[in-house]
Amino acid sequence: MTGMKMKNKTLKSNLITYGIVVAAFVVVQILLQTGSLSSLMKGLLIPLCVYVVLAISLNLVVGISGELSLGHAGFMCVGAFASAFFSKCTEASITVGPLRFCLAILTGAVFAGIFGILIGIPVLRLRGDYLAIVTLAFGEIIKNVMNIFYIGVDSNGFHFSTKDQFSLGMEADGKIIINGPQGITGTPKDSTFLIGVILILITLFIVLNLINSRDGRAIMSIRDNRIAAESIGINITKYKLMAFTVSAALAGAAGALYSHNLATLQASKFNFNTSILVLVFVVLGGIGNIRGSVIAAVVLTALPEMLRGLSDYRMLIYAIVLIVMMLFNWAPKALEWRERYFGRFFKKNAKEGE
């Protein structure tokens, strides 16, 4: 009976999270139809979706798995370049934009997932600060490797170089796809707000179902007590790698959405600050709180642009909001107040339901 109640409570919580995303989409569509949304905010819609997906996926590693990873920008970079490369190569053969874009997102997710496995196998033996340093190094390595890659294609096939575009040795009809630090230009702008919201819902579905599954409970048991989990036969490496790989693949999908919204994709955009920003979303939204990650990513991405009119005080207000959110989520007195107030509220609702 208790298990059924817990299952119903989890289902209700998940439906509320999905409902918040759908309601936000409907509100934005109404604002777009009535012309109430500024051009600045319209340009933020797809980046909002990208950051929400990144925050949810990173929370799977930081909040659910209990590992500190700072390499999310690296996985995003892999997904962005793999998907953009796919779209550039198949633009002439796959003329249906939505189909090509869906395949590009899958390509980005698969490549980022593969890198997640390759990085995770040796790295996940480390813990705490050591894991954070190594994943940070991975992100920087990926960014710098992409900066020296030159890839072109002509009638003879693909040409690769790490020197410059003249070293590719292509024929006159050849075209450069990846041009070193200049990255990829002319990627089809297939990203839309609708596809971004669908990707958020898919990400939520994957992560929430994983958390509430047997595998998810195994992952959380490792987070809570590694020695106890190992003593009852839980494969530590397997479950940590599972969470890390799923998180990396979702970051790659977010990178694909991001890359198809830009005229020029450059590796320099995926720097250390991007990983820190996503970690800020996770921490302020509540570590392990998926719904909190969604809300924090939206608020903290949109707020600086909404306050742009207050040019002198914009960043001051942003900093105050960060501090207030941190105190509300983590201060002992705030936690005590929330537990007392919301606990009373939920108990009252439960009694009324009975």
Side-chain angles (χ1 to χ4, degrees):
M1 194 69 177
T2 306
M4 185 63 72
K5 281 184 179 179
M6 285 297 295
K7 193 174 287 186
N8 290 337
K9 186 179 177 182
T10 301
L11 179 61
K12 184 179 178 182
S13 177
N14 291 352
L15 289 175
I16 289 171
T17 307
Y18 298 136
I20 289 171
V21 175
V22 173
F25 173 73
V26 172
V27 169
V28 169
Q29 289 301 315
I30 293 170
L31 292 174
L32 286 171
Q33 293 298 324
T34 56
S36 303
L37 214 59
S38 66
S39 58
L40 192 65
M41 290 306 295
K42 286 179 187 175
L44 264 183
L45 292 178
I46 294 172
L48 276 174
C49 295
V50 171
Y51 283 125
V52 168
V53 173
L54 286 171
I56 296 168
S57 60
L58 183 60
N59 211 342
L60 181 60
V61 172
V62 176
I64 308 305
S65 181
E67 302 291 351
L68 180 58
S69 171
L70 294 177
H72 233 50
F75 296 121
M76 184 185 175
C77 180
V78 170
F81 272 88
S83 61
F85 185 84
F86 174 85
S87 291
K88 286 280 288 183
C89 292
T90 59
E91 193 172 5
S93 55
I94 304 176
T95 54
V96 182
L99 173 62
R100 182 182 60 239
F101 186 42
C102 288
L103 293 173
I105 290 175
L106 285 173
T107 302
V110 168
F111 271 85
I114 291 169
F115 271 81
I117 294 170
L118 295 175
I119 299 299
I121 289 172
V123 161
L124 289 175
R125 298 178 186 277
L126 303 172
R127 299 172 67 187
D129 297 342
Y130 300 104
L131 177 63
I133 291 167
V134 174
T135 51
L136 172 62
F138 157 72
E140 292 300 307
I141 289 168
I142 287 293
K143 183 188 75 173
N144 287 292
V145 166
M146 294 311 303
N147 269 332
I148 62 168
F149 255 118
Y150 294 85
I151 301 177
V153 61
D154 60 13
S155 56
N156 294 324
F158 289 100
H159 299 261
F160 301 87
S161 176
T162 55
K163 292 182 179 179
D164 52 48
Q165 56 182 312
F166 304 107
S167 304
L168 291 171
M170 293 191 298
E171 296 180 353
D173 63 338
K175 64 174 183 177
I176 297 173
I177 299 175
I178 300 179
N179 192 16
Q182 295 179 34
I184 299 177
T185 56
T187 305
K189 295 195 76 173
D190 293 327
S191 293
T192 63
F193 182 55
L194 174 61
I195 294 175
V197 170
I198 291 171
L199 185 59
I200 289 172
L201 291 172
I202 291 171
T203 303
L204 282 170
F205 180 80
I206 292 170
V207 172
L208 291 174
N209 277 278
L210 176 59
I211 291 170
N212 298 311
S213 68
R214 185 179 178 182
D215 292 335
R217 288 190 290 273
I219 292 167
M220 287 186 282
S221 70
I222 296 167
R223 175 198 66 190
D224 295 336
N225 195 320
R226 182 190 179 99
I227 296 171
E230 196 168 15
S231 69
I232 60 172
I234 292 176
N235 190 327
I236 304 288
T237 305
K238 172 190 169 183
Y239 287 109
K240 285 175 67 175
L241 187 61
M242 179 190 295
F244 196 75
T245 303
V246 171
S247 176
L250 292 173
L257 185 68
Y258 181 76
S259 66
H260 287 72
N261 188 47
L262 298 173
T264 303
L265 176 68
Q266 295 175 314
S268 58
K269 296 179 185 292
F270 306 98
N271 54 24
F272 169 67
N273 293 329
T274 304
S275 292
I276 293 298
L277 181 62
V278 180
L279 184 61
V280 167
F281 297 153
V282 172
V283 172
L284 291 182
I287 295 175
N289 186 344
I290 302 300
R291 192 186 305 161
S293 295
V294 175
I295 296 169
V298 171
V299 170
L300 296 179
T301 304
L303 192 63
E305 301 306 327
M306 292 171 69
L307 298 173
R308 191 166 287 278
L310 304 169
S311 56
D312 294 334
Y313 305 102
R314 182 167 66 100
M315 295 315 294
L316 175 62
I317 296 170
Y318 182 73
I320 291 170
V321 170
L322 285 177
I323 294 168
V324 169
M325 286 183 70
M326 178 64 81
L327 290 174
F328 184 75
N329 278 321
W330 296 107
K333 289 290 184 184
L335 290 171
E336 185 182 322
W337 177 83
R338 281 166 53 193
E339 188 176 342
R340 186 170 63 248
Y341 178 78
F342 288 110
R344 189 187 306 157
F345 176 76
F346 286 125
K347 281 178 185 176
K348 183 180 176 182
N349 283 354
K351 284 180 182 178
E352 289 174 358
E354 289 171 1

